[in-house]
Amino acid sequence: MIGEILQLLMLLLLLIVCFRYARRAEDNLYLIFTALSFATLMLSDLYYLTHSHLREGMRVPFAANDIADFGMFLLMSTALSTALGRRRQRTGVTIAAMAFAAANVALWIGWSGEWVRDIFGGLSYGWFICVCFNSLYQTEALCRIERTALWAACALLIAVQTAGFFVPAGLKTPLNTGATGVLAAVEIWLLARFLLSLRREHRADATLSLGFTGYMWVTLSMYMSDGVAYVVFANAFTLHLLLVLLAVRKKVKAA
Amino acid sequence: MIYSENILLCISIPLLLTAVYTRGASRRSLAAFLAGMLTCLLSSYISGYLTLLAGMDLNASAVYISPTAEEIMKLLPLLFYLFVYRPGEMTLATFAISLGAGFATFENCCYLLATGSESLAFTLIRGLAVGVMHIVCMLAMSLSLIMVRRYRVFTLATVVGCLSQAVVFHALYNLLVSVPGPSAYVGYVLPIVTAVAFYWPYRKLRQAWRQS
């Protein structure tokens, strides 16, 4: 509950800052979309908190906050793609990203059994994954070896999580720990690359791409973990909102 | 039990006749108002069907199903008007507000007929809260559509993204008023506060549209 309240306050602050940037900047469309995505997430959090308070103990069914989360991913995707302008989308990357998203949806359905929520969520989140991975190629935010390593991590993650359905109960815990380790390692690596990119004077687009990709990855980490790992990733998610704003700020300054 | 189709007929016949004798912006507003009422009826059918399908009670349906069904249904005539008639920015916003007003009016009529209208305080709250909420949602949606059209980013992703805000705002209101007590009072005030907050930016935008 405290984590959600902190996230809500953080979002309110980011929303105000984002709108202030949007008023000053000339080419401000991506700022408006970023602000709108923050506003959507804020409303979703507000709904979740209100539901938890008013209907204590009752599980939130597939409802408005899920739709708001889907909307948030779509608005984030639009913010990133408008910030980068009309650049060539790589068909191979799009197909691979879609396959990764589809594998994730299959895993979510396997874990939760909620078809409708997971399929609709997967569509919007899959689109976000596509835009993020394409942006890494378009801005060359990561070098070729790093991009290959990222794809390898994605494949490893899917393989390990799928294996979790078939192995004996005793092997599930080490597999889960391994998957959490991969998620955390990629998360730290992306964070380090983002901070390095943020310090450099130029390449605002690359920083933006890394910021949004980090945000996408931390969301994936939250969806793929439980217990203590989930709490850690949820806090990292709040931190990532701030990182997205820093990336946007760099882009505004560069313009 | 009320027969909402009969109520719709009774209200819409004089409005249809008025539309025959009017021209231009007045006729457009009347048409939007009528479309809003019809949309309300259709969305109540859909919400009712989904409620039965999900096995929910009316209270749960108002929180979990109605906001999504109603906002999607309200978006459809707006999109139809946008694509078929290609209106100007000011015209689209006015159409959306009239659509929301028609929706809210018909919903309030049916609600008051079903539950009674003896309490003046209750009817005032109903008018100021639900009535304003539908208008605010439609205004926000129309402004989003105007923005995405102006900047040539009119895609499914942007439309669904903007729709999701209206859905969650509507659901938040329904959730707050579903439980009696302080939360319900917050819920009743929420649409009015949002409408006031929207007024100044909307006025600025309207001036900008007039100048352009």
Side-chain angles (χ1 to χ4, degrees):
Chain A
M1 185 74 107
I2 295 166
E4 268 106 22
I5 293 170
L6 274 176
Q7 195 183 97
L8 201 65
L9 293 173
M10 169 80 95
L11 280 165
L12 188 66
L13 184 77
L14 297 183
L15 192 64
I16 294 166
V17 175
C18 221
F19 270 121
R20 280 187 67 185
Y21 286 152
R23 281 181 70 181
R24 279 191 225 148
E26 274 188 20
D27 177 24
N28 59 4
L29 189 59
Y30 67 95
L31 284 166
I32 293 173
F33 278 117
T34 311
L36 284 178
S37 65
F38 285 155
T40 314
L41 187 59
M42 200 176 83
L43 281 170
S44 167
D45 277 357
L46 207 56
Y47 178 90
Y48 183 81
L49 275 174
T50 312
H51 193 283
S52 310
H53 177 67
L54 293 179
R55 300 182 176 211
E56 214 175 337
M58 190 181 158
R59 195 175 162 278
V60 186
F62 175 65
N65 64 318
D66 292 301
I67 294 171
D69 288 347
F70 307 159
M72 183 266 295
F73 289 130
L74 295 175
L75 290 168
M76 276 268 180
S77 314
T78 313
L80 182 57
S81 50
T82 46
L84 299 182
R86 290 185 188 279
R87 300 190 195 196
R88 196 171 69 88
Q89 299 269 334
R90 288 172 183 243
T91 315
V93 176
T94 307
I95 291 170
M98 274 303 192
F100 179 57
N104 270 295
V105 173
L107 285 171
W108 299 340
I109 292 170
W111 289 324
S112 69
E114 293 193 35
W115 287 78
V116 179
R117 190 196 299 232
D118 293 337
I119 288 173
F120 280 107
L123 282 172
S124 61
Y125 187 63
W127 181 243
F128 188 43
I129 291 176
C130 277
V131 173
C132 286
F133 277 131
N134 262 305
S135 76
L136 291 177
Y137 283 81
Q138 288 163 345
T139 60
E140 296 190 340
L142 297 177
C143 68
R144 199 175 164 182
I145 298 169
E146 287 174 314
R147 289 194 301 250
T148 312
L150 185 61
W151 284 118
C154 291
L156 182 66
L157 208 56
I158 295 298
V160 169
Q161 297 284 22
T162 310
F165 287 102
F166 304 104
V167 294
L171 273 175
K172 277 188 181 174
T173 313
L175 273 177
N176 274 339
T177 313
T180 309
V182 173
L183 287 166
V186 175
E187 178 57 39
I188 292 166
W189 167 53
L190 283 173
L191 184 67
R193 290 294 279 114
F194 172 80
L195 293 173
L196 275 174
S197 175
L198 194 67
R199 282 186 65 189
R200 289 183 189 149
E201 286 290 313
H202 57 294
R203 299 190 68 194
D205 284 350
T207 311
L208 201 69
S209 167
L210 283 167
F212 277 78
T213 309
Y215 180 81
M216 178 273 288
W217 192 267
V218 80
T219 312
L220 181 80
S221 308
M222 271 169 66
Y223 289 169
M224 279 197 168
S225 54
D226 57 357
V228 182
Y230 178 83
V231 177
V232 173
F233 285 130
N235 287 320
F237 177 82
T238 309
L239 177 74
H240 261 281
L241 291 168
L242 187 67
L243 299 185
V244 167
L245 188 81
L246 288 176
V248 165
R249 186 169 147 241
K250 189 177 175 184
K251 172 89 177 158
V252 172
K253 282 190 172 174
Chain B
M1 170 85 180
I2 57 160
Y3 295 92
S4 39
E5 300 84 0
N6 299 357
I7 300 166
L8 179 69
L9 272 177
C10 177
I11 302 174
S12 58
I13 287 170
L15 290 175
L16 276 170
L17 196 68
T18 316
V20 174
Y21 287 100
T22 51
R23 284 279 177 275
S26 311
R27 182 186 273 187
R28 229 176 0 246
S29 288
L30 267 175
F33 195 86
L34 280 165
M37 293 204 299
L38 188 64
T39 307
C40 182
L41 183 71
L42 293 176
S43 58
S44 75
Y45 289 155
I46 293 169
S47 294
Y49 173 70
L50 291 175
T51 305
L52 281 177
L53 206 67
M56 286 182 180
D57 58 37
L58 281 177
N59 193 344
S61 163
V63 175
Y64 304 122
I65 294 174
S66 299
T68 313
E70 289 179 5
E71 293 307 324
I72 292 173
M73 287 303 288
K74 278 191 287 180
L75 178 68
L76 295 179
L78 196 62
L79 284 180
F80 176 81
Y81 184 62
L82 183 68
F83 283 122
V84 175
Y85 294 97
R86 298 182 180 276
E89 289 165 345
M90 184 87 176
T91 316
L92 183 68
T94 314
F95 185 88
I97 293 168
S98 304
L99 193 85
F103 193 102
T105 306
F106 186 65
E107 197 182 54
N108 278 349
C109 281
C110 293
Y111 195 82
L112 290 178
L113 278 168
T115 59
S117 54
E118 294 83 8
S119 164
L120 177 66
F122 178 72
T123 36
L124 274 177
I125 286 172
R126 182 83 201 166
L128 283 169
V130 179
V132 177
M133 192 267 299
H134 282 297
I135 293 170
V136 165
C137 283
M138 285 312 285
L139 180 63
M141 207 122 78
S142 70
L143 292 181
S144 309
L145 289 179
I146 288 167
M147 183 190 72
V148 297
R149 188 176 67 161
R150 175 175 269 211
Y151 291 106
R152 298 174 193 281
V153 280
F154 203 108
T155 59
L156 182 67
T158 52
V159 174
V160 175
C162 297
L163 171 74
S164 68
Q165 292 185 331
V167 170
V168 74
F169 179 77
H170 188 161
L172 185 63
Y173 166 82
N174 282 10
L175 178 65
L176 284 167
V177 300
S178 66
V179 180
S183 72
Y185 298 123
V186 175
Y188 294 140
V189 174
L190 186 70
I192 286 283
V193 171
T194 318
V196 171
F198 256 121
Y199 182 71
W200 300 110
Y202 178 65
R203 225 176 82 155
K204 268 191 169 181
L205 276 173
R206 216 169 45 184
Q207 281 169 356
W209 293 336
R210 277 207 190 110
Q211 280 163 8
S212 65

XYZ file of all heavy atoms in Angstrom, chain A residues 23 28-29 32-33 36-37 39-40 43-44 46-47 50-51 54-55 58-59 61-65 67-68 71-72 74-75 78 82 86 127, chain B residues 56 59-60 63-64 67-68 144 147-148 151-153 155-158 160-165 167-169 171-172 175-176 178-179 183 204:
531
model
N 4.827 22.968 -21.987
C 4.429 24.362 -22.235
C 5.587 25.169 -22.814
O 5.392 26.078 -23.601
C 3.948 25.008 -20.935
C 2.526 24.596 -20.584
C 2.064 25.258 -19.339
N 1.851 26.687 -19.519
C 1.451 27.492 -18.550
N 1.232 27.030 -17.357
N 1.275 28.768 -18.774
N 6.485 19.565 -28.853
C 6.162 19.005 -27.542
C 5.222 17.799 -27.573
O 4.715 17.404 -26.537
C 5.559 20.093 -26.647
C 4.296 20.691 -27.248
O 3.841 20.250 -28.293
N 3.736 21.675 -26.579
N 5.017 17.218 -28.735
C 4.030 16.141 -28.827
C 4.409 14.936 -27.959
O 3.567 14.389 -27.248
C 3.870 15.709 -30.292
C 2.720 14.757 -30.539
C 1.398 15.353 -30.131
C 2.670 14.333 -31.992
N 3.636 15.603 -24.409
C 2.205 15.486 -24.098
C 1.833 14.018 -23.916
O 1.139 13.656 -22.964
C 1.347 16.156 -25.198
C 1.575 17.664 -25.185
C -0.136 15.858 -24.993
C 0.918 18.403 -26.322
N 2.345 13.166 -24.813
C 2.013 11.742 -24.696
C 2.639 11.118 -23.439
O 2.032 10.259 -22.807
C 2.439 10.977 -25.946
C 1.441 11.102 -27.061
C 1.770 11.702 -28.259
C 0.150 10.649 -26.900
C 0.842 11.845 -29.277
C -0.793 10.774 -27.907
C -0.443 11.378 -29.094
N 0.463 12.218 -20.676
C -0.811 11.479 -20.706
C -0.634 10.055 -20.172
O -1.506 9.545 -19.466
C -1.372 11.425 -22.133
C -2.022 12.705 -22.663
C -2.486 12.505 -24.098
C -3.211 13.128 -21.810
N 0.513 9.443 -20.504
C 0.733 8.079 -19.999
C 0.924 8.102 -18.482
O 0.429 7.212 -17.779
C 1.918 7.411 -20.699
O 3.095 8.085 -20.399
N -0.449 10.295 -16.521
C -1.790 10.580 -15.980
C -2.627 9.296 -15.939
O -3.345 9.044 -14.958
C -2.487 11.640 -16.822
N -2.505 8.480 -16.989
C -3.270 7.224 -17.049
C -2.825 6.279 -15.937
O -3.654 5.677 -15.255
C -3.078 6.542 -18.425
O -3.226 7.526 -19.436
C -4.080 5.456 -18.656
N -4.175 7.523 -12.616
C -5.599 7.186 -12.435
C -5.762 5.700 -12.114
O -6.592 5.324 -11.278
C -6.391 7.540 -13.703
C -6.737 9.012 -13.891
C -7.296 9.257 -15.286
C -7.760 9.469 -12.864
N -4.948 4.872 -12.773
C -5.003 3.429 -12.529
C -4.615 3.117 -11.077
O -5.279 2.335 -10.395
C -4.062 2.723 -13.496
O -3.858 1.406 -13.113
N -4.776 5.179 -8.570
C -5.813 5.761 -7.710
C -7.006 4.801 -7.610
O -7.557 4.589 -6.523
C -6.259 7.096 -8.317
C -6.815 8.146 -7.390
C -5.850 8.496 -6.286
C -7.176 9.405 -8.174
N -7.361 4.223 -8.736
C -8.469 3.268 -8.769
C -8.120 2.043 -7.920
O -8.930 1.592 -7.106
C -8.752 2.844 -10.222
C -9.858 1.825 -10.358
C -11.175 2.229 -10.513
C -9.586 0.462 -10.311
C -12.197 1.293 -10.632
C -10.604 -0.471 -10.421
C -11.895 -0.057 -10.584
O -12.907 -0.985 -10.688
N -8.140 2.956 -4.223
C -9.516 3.159 -3.752
C -10.224 1.808 -3.619
O -10.925 1.565 -2.636
C -10.294 4.056 -4.750
O -9.493 5.175 -5.057
C -11.604 4.529 -4.168
N -10.013 0.949 -4.606
C -10.644 -0.376 -4.555
C -10.138 -1.158 -3.350
O -10.924 -1.779 -2.620
C -10.351 -1.130 -5.853
C -11.185 -2.353 -6.026
N -10.930 -3.517 -5.342
C -12.289 -2.594 -6.770
C -11.841 -4.422 -5.674
N -12.673 -3.886 -6.539
N -11.819 0.503 -0.231
C -13.275 0.380 -0.089
C -13.746 -1.065 -0.078
O -14.736 -1.395 0.559
C -13.995 1.135 -1.219
C -13.868 2.652 -1.217
C -14.614 3.244 -2.398
C -14.410 3.245 0.066
N -13.072 -1.906 -0.836
C -13.484 -3.318 -0.897
C -12.336 -4.187 -0.423
O -11.779 -4.977 -1.192
C -13.907 -3.671 -2.321
C -15.052 -2.797 -2.751
C -15.569 -3.085 -4.101
N -16.732 -2.212 -4.312
C -17.762 -2.515 -5.056
N -17.808 -3.638 -5.674
N -18.763 -1.678 -5.195
N -11.183 -7.991 -1.161
C -11.775 -8.494 -2.406
C -10.768 -8.314 -3.539
O -10.200 -7.238 -3.682
C -13.044 -7.700 -2.719
C -13.848 -8.285 -3.839
S -15.283 -7.254 -4.116
C -15.669 -7.689 -5.786
N -10.567 -9.360 -4.298
C -9.587 -9.297 -5.389
C -10.134 -8.397 -6.498
O -11.317 -8.470 -6.835
C -9.367 -10.712 -5.921
C -8.148 -10.825 -6.772
C -7.916 -12.275 -7.160
N -7.016 -12.312 -8.287
C -7.403 -12.136 -9.544
N -8.659 -11.917 -9.815
N -6.521 -12.173 -10.522
N -11.080 -7.584 -9.957
C -11.223 -8.369 -11.188
C -10.708 -7.573 -12.394
O -10.246 -6.441 -12.235
C -12.737 -8.575 -11.291
C -13.327 -7.422 -10.581
C -12.342 -6.966 -9.557
N -10.832 -8.171 -13.583
C -10.438 -7.447 -14.801
C -11.328 -6.214 -14.915
O -12.536 -6.346 -15.082
C -10.617 -8.365 -16.013
C -10.353 -7.684 -17.327
C -9.092 -7.219 -17.623
C -11.363 -7.499 -18.251
C -8.836 -6.584 -18.825
C -11.118 -6.869 -19.460
C -9.851 -6.413 -19.735
N -10.734 -5.060 -14.764
C -11.569 -3.847 -14.692
C -10.823 -2.655 -15.254
O -9.837 -2.798 -15.979
C -11.989 -3.603 -13.248
N -11.320 -1.478 -14.876
C -10.834 -0.233 -15.479
C -9.335 -0.014 -15.302
O -8.691 0.539 -16.195
C -11.607 0.925 -14.890
N -8.786 -0.423 -14.161
C -7.352 -0.158 -13.956
C -6.492 -0.970 -14.921
O -5.419 -0.524 -15.339
C -6.941 -0.399 -12.500
C -7.099 -1.821 -12.085
O -8.091 -2.448 -12.416
N -6.131 -2.338 -11.389
N -7.481 -1.729 -17.981
C -7.617 -1.017 -19.260
C -6.715 0.218 -19.252
O -6.082 0.546 -20.248
C -9.095 -0.655 -19.510
C -9.881 -1.949 -19.707
C -9.258 0.253 -20.732
C -11.360 -1.795 -19.763
N -6.635 0.867 -18.095
C -5.758 2.044 -17.984
C -4.295 1.640 -18.168
O -3.522 2.370 -18.807
C -5.958 2.714 -16.632
N -3.723 1.158 -21.781
C -3.663 2.489 -22.396
C -2.337 3.172 -22.132
O -1.777 3.831 -23.012
N -1.826 2.972 -20.914
C -0.544 3.587 -20.549
C 0.577 3.077 -21.459
O 1.398 3.856 -21.943
C -0.266 3.273 -19.079
C 0.973 3.881 -18.501
S 2.382 2.799 -18.572
C 1.903 1.464 -17.503
N 0.270 1.894 -24.483
C 0.067 2.420 -25.834
C 0.510 3.881 -25.922
O 1.131 4.302 -26.904
C -1.406 2.284 -26.232
C -1.916 0.850 -26.369
C -3.410 0.821 -26.637
C -1.191 0.121 -27.487
N 0.200 4.662 -24.886
C 0.600 6.074 -24.896
C 2.119 6.217 -24.779
O 2.721 7.091 -25.404
C -0.103 6.834 -23.769
C -1.606 7.028 -23.960
C -2.258 7.533 -22.679
C -1.891 8.022 -25.084
N 3.533 5.519 -28.130
C 3.347 6.673 -29.012
C 4.332 7.783 -28.646
O 4.873 8.438 -29.538
C 1.900 7.198 -28.898
O 1.017 6.103 -28.976
C 1.570 8.188 -29.983
N 6.935 9.020 -31.416
C 6.869 10.408 -31.911
C 8.153 11.168 -31.569
O 8.570 12.036 -32.325
C 5.657 11.175 -31.339
O 5.578 10.928 -29.953
C 4.367 10.836 -31.995
N 9.913 9.714 -37.760
C 9.623 8.614 -38.697
C 10.917 7.918 -39.094
O 11.613 8.373 -39.977
C 8.920 9.176 -39.937
C 7.516 9.633 -39.645
C 6.823 10.071 -40.898
N 5.546 10.683 -40.587
C 4.436 10.008 -40.337
N 4.446 8.708 -40.363
N 3.305 10.650 -40.068
N 3.079 -4.378 -28.189
C 3.339 -3.212 -29.042
C 4.444 -2.347 -28.437
O 5.332 -1.851 -29.130
C 2.048 -2.404 -29.224
C 2.197 -1.201 -30.093
C 2.025 0.099 -29.733
C 2.569 -1.181 -31.477
N 2.272 0.928 -30.790
C 2.606 0.174 -31.875
C 2.891 -2.170 -32.399
C 2.941 0.549 -33.176
C 3.230 -1.781 -33.691
C 3.248 -0.438 -34.057
N -22.582 -11.074 -12.160
C -22.355 -10.031 -11.141
C -23.688 -9.439 -10.699
O -24.686 -9.535 -11.407
C -21.498 -8.909 -11.725
C -20.057 -9.247 -11.901
S -19.170 -7.819 -12.534
C -17.536 -8.476 -12.648
N -24.489 -3.623 -8.354
C -23.447 -2.762 -7.780
C -22.085 -3.081 -8.402
O -21.351 -2.172 -8.829
C -23.427 -2.964 -6.263
C -22.620 -1.902 -5.556
O -21.846 -1.193 -6.186
N -22.792 -1.778 -4.263
N -21.759 -4.351 -8.467
C -20.468 -4.762 -9.044
C -20.420 -4.414 -10.525
O -19.386 -3.963 -11.035
C -20.262 -6.251 -8.848
N -19.490 -0.879 -11.211
C -18.072 -0.559 -10.984
C -17.173 -1.200 -12.046
O -16.229 -0.571 -12.519
C -17.641 -1.018 -9.568
C -16.155 -0.804 -9.356
C -18.431 -0.272 -8.513
N -17.481 -2.450 -12.408
C -16.540 -3.178 -13.255
C -16.900 -3.214 -14.740
O -16.019 -3.271 -15.581
C -16.373 -4.622 -12.748
C -15.940 -4.702 -11.315
C -16.698 -5.374 -10.365
C -14.774 -4.083 -10.891
C -16.301 -5.437 -9.045
C -14.372 -4.128 -9.568
C -15.143 -4.808 -8.653
O -14.756 -4.848 -7.348
N -18.591 1.217 -16.809
C -17.696 2.276 -17.305
C -17.070 1.952 -18.653
O -17.053 2.782 -19.556
C -16.632 2.394 -16.216
C -17.258 1.854 -15.005
C -18.192 0.791 -15.451
N -16.592 0.714 -18.787
C -15.942 0.327 -20.041
C -16.953 0.316 -21.185
O -16.701 0.917 -22.247
C -15.298 -1.071 -19.889
O -14.582 -1.104 -18.673
C -14.389 -1.390 -21.039
N -8.671 14.944 -26.804
C -7.608 13.990 -27.190
C -7.675 13.693 -28.684
O -6.641 13.669 -29.362
C -7.768 12.677 -26.434
O -7.891 12.903 -25.084
N -6.375 16.546 -30.662
C -4.907 16.623 -30.609
C -4.261 15.599 -31.546
O -3.381 15.953 -32.332
C -4.447 16.391 -29.175
C -2.960 16.526 -29.006
S -2.426 15.982 -27.402
C -2.604 14.240 -27.516
N -4.729 14.350 -31.467
C -4.083 13.323 -32.308
C -4.341 13.560 -33.790
O -3.510 13.223 -34.628
C -4.467 11.874 -31.893
C -4.005 11.567 -30.495
C -5.937 11.604 -32.045
N -1.984 16.593 -34.918
C -0.570 16.235 -35.059
C -0.347 15.004 -35.942
O 0.744 14.435 -35.951
C 0.059 16.013 -33.683
C 0.193 17.287 -32.895
C -0.641 17.560 -31.826
C 1.157 18.231 -33.234
C -0.522 18.733 -31.106
C 1.287 19.405 -32.518
C 0.438 19.649 -31.458
O 0.565 20.811 -30.749
N -1.388 14.562 -36.608
C -1.298 13.413 -37.530
C -0.739 12.152 -36.856
O 0.159 11.491 -37.376
C -0.440 13.769 -38.751
C -1.024 14.896 -39.565
C -0.070 15.309 -40.662
N -0.472 16.578 -41.240
C -1.439 16.743 -42.119
N -2.139 15.702 -42.502
N -1.741 17.940 -42.588
N -1.229 11.868 -35.660
C -0.837 10.617 -34.995
C -2.112 9.836 -34.642
O -2.212 9.222 -33.590
C 0.013 10.858 -33.725
C 1.436 11.131 -34.066
C -0.559 11.972 -32.867
N -3.871 7.010 -34.546
C -3.724 5.559 -34.691
C -4.614 4.875 -33.663
O -5.114 5.526 -32.740
C -2.266 5.122 -34.449
O -1.922 5.544 -33.120
C -1.307 5.733 -35.433
N -4.759 3.569 -33.830
C -5.564 2.803 -32.878
C -4.971 2.941 -31.472
O -5.693 3.069 -30.478
C -5.608 1.330 -33.310
C -6.449 0.405 -32.451
C -7.925 0.759 -32.566
C -6.237 -1.046 -32.825
N -3.627 2.930 -31.415
C -2.944 3.005 -30.122
C -3.283 4.304 -29.392
O -3.577 4.295 -28.194
C -1.441 2.888 -30.333
N -3.256 5.427 -30.116
C -3.531 6.709 -29.451
C -5.003 6.800 -29.034
O -5.306 7.300 -27.951
C -3.169 7.895 -30.355
O -3.792 7.719 -31.621
C -1.698 8.048 -30.542
N -7.107 4.297 -28.328
C -7.360 3.411 -27.182
C -6.701 3.995 -25.921
O -7.278 3.939 -24.827
C -6.849 1.970 -27.469
C -6.988 1.089 -26.247
C -7.627 1.362 -28.615
N -5.530 4.556 -26.083
C -4.842 5.184 -24.947
C -5.675 6.289 -24.336
O -5.828 6.376 -23.115
N -6.248 7.136 -25.198
C -7.067 8.247 -24.702
C -8.390 7.735 -24.109
O -8.865 8.252 -23.098
C -7.335 9.249 -25.822
S -5.825 10.000 -26.424
N -8.939 6.699 -24.743
C -10.194 6.119 -24.238
C -9.996 5.551 -22.830
O -10.877 5.679 -21.970
C -10.664 5.016 -25.196
C -11.828 4.143 -24.732
C -13.139 4.918 -24.807
C -11.945 2.878 -25.565
N -8.829 4.946 -22.610
C -8.588 4.302 -21.314
C -8.659 5.309 -20.161
O -9.064 4.965 -19.053
C -7.240 3.591 -21.316
O -6.200 4.529 -21.368
N -8.281 6.550 -20.439
C -8.358 7.571 -19.378
C -9.803 7.853 -18.998
O -10.134 7.970 -17.811
C -7.701 8.860 -19.853
C -6.214 8.701 -20.006
C -5.538 9.989 -20.352
O -6.118 10.861 -20.976
N -4.294 10.112 -19.949
N -12.285 5.802 -19.363
C -12.826 4.602 -18.713
C -12.453 4.576 -17.233
O -13.300 4.371 -16.364
C -12.319 3.321 -19.428
C -12.675 2.081 -18.630
C -12.895 3.213 -20.824
N -11.173 4.833 -16.953
C -10.726 4.705 -15.556
C -11.283 5.855 -14.702
O -11.611 5.665 -13.525
C -9.185 4.562 -15.464
C -8.466 5.834 -15.733
C -8.773 4.024 -14.107
N -11.458 7.031 -15.306
C -12.048 8.153 -14.562
C -13.504 7.833 -14.201
O -13.940 8.024 -13.066
C -11.975 9.438 -15.404
C -12.572 10.635 -14.726
C -11.876 11.294 -13.730
C -13.826 11.093 -15.073
C -12.429 12.391 -13.091
C -14.390 12.188 -14.445
C -13.683 12.841 -13.447
N -14.842 4.837 -14.026
C -14.871 3.719 -13.073
C -14.525 4.187 -11.663
O -15.109 3.713 -10.686
C -13.882 2.652 -13.525
N -13.604 5.131 -11.579
C -13.213 5.663 -10.266
C -14.405 6.354 -9.600
O -14.667 6.169 -8.408
C -12.053 6.645 -10.443
C -11.426 7.209 -9.174
C -10.788 6.111 -8.344
C -10.366 8.262 -9.510
N -16.882 3.723 -8.523
C -16.362 2.998 -7.355
C -16.551 3.826 -6.086
O -16.979 3.316 -5.047
C -14.878 2.683 -7.578
C -14.135 1.974 -6.453
C -14.694 0.580 -6.228
C -12.651 1.857 -6.773
N -16.226 5.113 -6.180
C -16.331 5.985 -4.999
C -17.772 6.098 -4.505
O -18.016 6.073 -3.297
C -15.769 7.378 -5.326
C -14.247 7.496 -5.371
C -13.833 8.810 -5.996
C -13.651 7.376 -3.977
N -20.133 3.983 -4.969
C -20.798 2.686 -4.735
C -20.893 2.351 -3.248
O -21.682 1.508 -2.855
C -20.059 1.567 -5.469
O -18.787 1.390 -4.904
N -20.068 3.000 -2.433
C -20.087 2.739 -0.990
C -20.548 4.013 -0.278
O -19.928 5.064 -0.456
C -18.669 2.334 -0.490
C -18.675 2.062 0.997
C -18.179 1.119 -1.250
N -16.433 8.425 1.130
C -15.939 8.167 -0.234
C -16.965 8.613 -1.278
O -16.610 9.128 -2.346
C -15.604 6.695 -0.414
O -16.787 5.938 -0.473
N -9.087 28.630 -23.278
C -7.887 29.041 -24.023
C -7.839 28.366 -25.387
O -7.537 29.001 -26.402
C -6.627 28.676 -23.229
C -6.124 29.779 -22.334
C -4.758 29.405 -21.821
C -4.104 30.582 -21.148
N -2.762 30.234 -20.667
